[in-house]
Amino acid sequence: DRRCRHSASVWEHEACLPEHKAEALPIPRTRPHDTVIPAKAGIHGSAAAFNVPPLSWIQTQMVQMAGGQTVWKDAQLGNGWTKVNLEQIAAWDPDQIYIVAYFNPVNDVIGKLKADPQWQQLSAVKEGRLYGFPGDYYSWDQADTRWILGLNWLAGKVGPDLFGRAILDVVRSYD
């Protein structure tokens, strides 16, 4: 099915999951609570660049399905990742920040951000809620078969009290 390979929409991807998809998808028990921002980060020397996804992309839909509120929804978004600066991220003051890094090791990026005095002023960083989005060969935030792993991981971080199953329970259920 072509849409399974080429669509960036979570809803179209759900049609591609096996019949037990309802068990794999986290189902929120209450409405969203924390404000969340996923930011694609690129580190070039000592400079960092940040981008947020369009509202229609899987990264945004994952935040919503995980129980988070999208703080960037009122920004002037383009058709792809939209560049934002640290001042904008600080103005949004999200409860949690998730860093996606496609070209740098995400743990290196997180380490540099945590060491930056400006980033240390953000509430999410002060409270230990700056996370690197996990992955294996590819980041789990992408519109491929890994997105369900990313969604379950994100749900466990955004609202562990909102969901009934932990990611390891879901993974083990495929054995």
Side-chain angles (χ1 to χ4, degrees):
D1 187 336
R2 258 182 76 121
R3 70 183 172 171
C4 295
R5 289 177 289 158
H6 298 291
S7 174
S9 168
V10 170
W11 307 116
E12 290 179 275
H13 277 284
E14 282 185 33
C16 305
L17 292 174
E19 64 278 355
H20 53 284
K21 69 181 178 193
E23 295 174 14
L25 290 174
I27 307 298
R29 294 186 179 145
T30 61
R31 28 179 253 252
H33 60 308
D34 278 358
T35 56
V36 177
I37 182 170
K40 182 177 75 163
I43 303 291
H44 308 286
S46 62
F50 303 96
N51 298 271
V52 293
L55 296 179
S56 63
W57 279 19
I58 195 167
Q59 294 83 2
T60 303
Q61 293 178 13
M62 287 170 69
V63 167
Q64 294 166 339
M65 290 185 349
Q69 295 181 30
T70 53
V71 296
W72 69 99
K73 68 180 181 293
D74 295 326
Q76 295 291 330
L77 300 173
N79 294 325
W81 289 96
T82 299
K83 186 178 259 186
V84 295
N85 57 28
L86 177 60
E87 291 76 19
Q88 179 61 66
I89 294 172
W92 285 327
D93 193 28
D95 298 313
Q96 299 179 28
I97 302 172
Y98 294 87
I99 299 296
V100 173
Y102 298 139
F103 303 108
N104 303 98
V106 73
N107 290 336
D108 292 354
V109 174
I110 294 296
K112 287 182 181 183
L113 296 179
K114 285 181 176 179
D116 185 310
Q118 291 181 309
W119 274 81
Q120 292 172 2
Q121 299 305 306
L122 298 176
S123 299
V125 177
K126 287 180 185 176
E127 295 172 17
R129 299 174 101 188
L130 171 65
Y131 305 104
F133 214 92
D136 42 50
Y137 295 107
Y138 299 104
S139 177
W140 289 356
D141 77 300
Q142 296 187 43
D144 66 10
T145 56
R146 292 167 178 83
W147 77 269
I148 194 68
L149 296 172
L151 174 58
N152 277 281
W153 176 84
L154 188 61
K157 292 286 192 189
V158 173
D161 56 318
L162 301 178
F163 300 93
R165 295 182 68 193
I167 187 170
L168 290 178
D169 293 336
V170 173
V171 171
R172 287 184 191 114
S173 72
Y174 288 97
D175 286 344

